[in-house]
Amino acid sequence: MSTSSRIQGLYKLSVPERRRVVAAFAGIDADDPNLAALQDGVDPDLLDAFVENVVGAFPMPFGIAANFVVDGRDVLVPMVVEESSVVAAASNMARLARPTGGFVTELVGEEMIGQVQLRDVPDLAAAVAAIHSAREELIATARSFDSVLVTLGGGCQGLDVRTFTADQTGGDGDVIVVHFLVDCRDAMGANAVNSICERLAPRLAELTGATPGLRILSNLADRRRVRASCRVAAEALALDGHGGDEVAEAIVAAARFATYDPYRAATHNKGIMNGIDPVVIATGNDWRAVEAGAHAWAARDGSYRALSRWWRDEAGDLCGELELPMQVGTVGGVTRLHPLARLSLAILDVSTAAELGRVIAAVGLAQNLGALRALGTEGIQKGHMRLHQRNLELAADEG
Ligand code: MEV
């Protein structure tokens, strides 16, 4: 049995061979049932094409949140998540929002941002002017790289120029950052955006006399955002001896806490991401990108804040709104390659990235409502412990 993790050419082995090597390393019997679990589900050869050194799949619970109405449409939401109570809470809150119309969503912009960094700019003002004079040429060149995207109504829509002076950059001299604004239509768009950045960097260096630096999309996709809102009748919120009015007030107060304390805001937003990530994962999208965008957006004005807000309207109903960057796609990446991502998109019955992003925002808002309702009343431990107990019992049954 090898005890060294230095395994040359692991990537060259077949999936079953890799499993054997890993099992031998870890001292796991070839007939261990946990090892067998790696083989169930998706075709390993397909997974092998996604990443390196594949030994199998890591199955997570694939649950379905029920009861959602989003923009007047009934939606079942696939959620891939390991945390107890996430799917139940989303379904419950969607049920409470149903009688008042469910969730209303909108798209706020559709452009991804690609950054080209230009370091040691010799003359900042002249370089900025040169980029502005070449703006039309740069945009036309960026559009010429992806005629399919342009035919679909997307492609590079414009550019922004941002500057940093040498005293800000600490070693990079005067810096210009050019932002290419790219409508990626139904793709998340990393490939399209990164290609534009890489291919235009030499021309930008030529125009400015600067040294080209990084060329990559920004996950602070603040020009591609979604907004979801809902209204819930106060009486629908009543819980375990707490009247609806009291619960609505408690939710508003809990949300207020997250507006002034970043320590609370981080947890508040984690609760939102409890709803968002599982749908992003189920549809084969890049949840790290969505997470990065959400938290950077939450800190956009210099202090970290809640992504959502809750208040009561004149009738006393509870109203909530959530807005965040949403960089997801329904084409490209693994969204169309992974059978379960395809299945998720089919269950959701969405075909565009915009539709998907809007449903995801609705789920984030529902999840946030569930957390604040529990926290403002009985606390989360009661519900959590009930489910945790079930997990313990399951673990005990497994021996
Ligand atoms: C736990 O996964 C999520 C919560 O902590 C969210 C929140 O505090 O709002 C319950």
Side-chain angles (χ1 to χ4, degrees):
M1 185 205 312
S2 165
T3 51
S4 170
S5 66
R6 173 77 190 107
I7 304 173
Q8 247 169 342
L10 185 60
Y11 68 96
K12 290 184 191 154
L13 303 181
S14 70
V15 173
E17 281 166 344
R18 271 181 224 143
R19 280 192 196 126
R20 274 195 290 278
V21 169
V22 172
F25 174 89
I28 296 171
D29 280 349
D31 56 1
D32 187 304
N34 291 335
L35 199 58
L38 273 176
Q39 296 169 45
D40 298 338
V42 179
D43 174 7
D45 288 334
L46 178 67
L47 301 176
D48 201 24
F50 291 168
V51 300
E52 303 74 29
N53 297 344
V54 165
V55 293
F58 184 109
M60 296 252 288
F62 184 123
I64 300 289
N67 309 326
F68 272 87
V69 173
V70 181
D71 300 317
R73 193 169 73 85
D74 274 67
V75 190
L76 282 184
V77 184
M79 299 182 84
V80 172
V81 63
E82 87 299 346
E83 185 173 331
S84 304
S85 84
V86 163
V87 179
S91 305
N92 260 331
M93 296 309 109
R95 180 176 53 81
L96 301 191
R98 269 183 92 83
T100 34
F103 297 84
V104 176
T105 68
E106 66 185 295
L107 206 60
V108 190
E110 294 194 70
E111 290 160 359
M112 292 293 287
I113 295 169
Q115 296 195 293
V116 177
Q117 177 204 28
L118 300 160
R119 294 195 310 250
D120 295 316
V121 180
D123 179 339
L124 212 44
V128 170
I131 295 169
H132 281 306
S133 342
R135 164 184 292 270
E136 295 313 318
E137 168 216 318
L138 290 164
I139 294 170
T141 312
R143 288 173 73 80
S144 72
F145 298 146
D146 197 334
S147 55
V148 176
L149 196 56
V150 172
T151 314
L152 293 170
C156 183
Q157 307 292 310
L159 60 81
D160 278 344
V161 180
R162 299 167 59 245
T163 57
F164 298 87
T165 50
D167 55 319
Q168 293 174 292
T169 68
D172 286 344
D174 286 345
V175 167
I176 290 179
V177 183
V178 177
H179 281 189
F180 288 101
L181 313 177
V182 188
D183 182 337
C184 299
R185 302 278 84 190
D186 294 324
M188 185 273 193
N191 285 335
V193 172
N194 294 342
S195 299
I196 288 173
C197 294
E198 290 192 2
R199 293 174 73 174
L200 277 168
R203 175 69 182 130
L204 286 167
E206 187 180 271
L207 283 166
T208 57
T211 308
L214 301 193
R215 300 140 297 158
I216 186 78
L217 91 174
S218 169
N219 287 121
L220 175 47
D222 59 359
R223 303 181 68 110
R224 190 181 194 182
R225 306 198 301 275
V226 284
R227 192 180 291 148
S229 57
C230 70
R231 185 168 59 82
V232 182
E235 58 271 23
L237 294 161
L239 178 71
D240 269 1
H242 301 273
D245 251 342
E246 181 196 336
V247 178
E249 281 305 310
I251 291 169
V252 172
R256 196 164 49 236
F257 182 10
T259 63
Y260 55 81
D261 180 3
Y263 286 87
R264 172 57 206 156
T267 324
H268 177 103
N269 291 343
K270 191 275 183 179
I272 292 171
M273 302 316 285
N274 271 352
I276 288 180
D277 287 345
V279 193
V280 176
I281 295 171
T283 54
N285 275 288
D286 181 347
W287 73 95
R288 287 87 57 210
V290 174
E291 280 276 347
H295 298 296
W297 171 250
R300 66 193 173 282
D301 64 4
S303 47
Y304 187 91
R305 291 193 198 289
L307 290 165
S308 67
R309 58 192 190 98
W310 292 93
W311 69 98
R312 295 184 78 184
D313 68 9
E314 280 153 18
D317 291 345
L318 179 73
C319 303
E321 187 179 87
L322 166 68
E323 184 173 330
L324 77 166
M326 190 50 65
Q327 44 210 311
V328 292
T330 52
V331 296
V334 300
T335 50
R336 290 286 160 100
L337 293 176
H338 197 301
L340 297 181
R342 283 203 303 270
L343 179 70
S344 296
L345 290 173
I347 294 170
L348 284 162
D349 194 19
V350 293
S351 52
T352 66
E355 289 171 307
L356 173 60
R358 291 161 62 152
V359 173
I360 292 173
V363 182
L365 188 61
Q367 204 73 51
N368 183 218
L369 175 59
L372 299 187
R373 182 171 177 246
L375 287 168
T377 54
E378 60 179 23
I380 61 155
Q381 282 311 93
K382 201 166 153 193
H384 258 231
M385 290 320 288
R386 238 182 347 254
L387 291 156
H388 186 57
Q389 184 58 31
R390 196 179 66 191
N391 295 350
L392 290 179
E393 282 159 17
L394 277 175
D397 287 349
E398 292 292 311

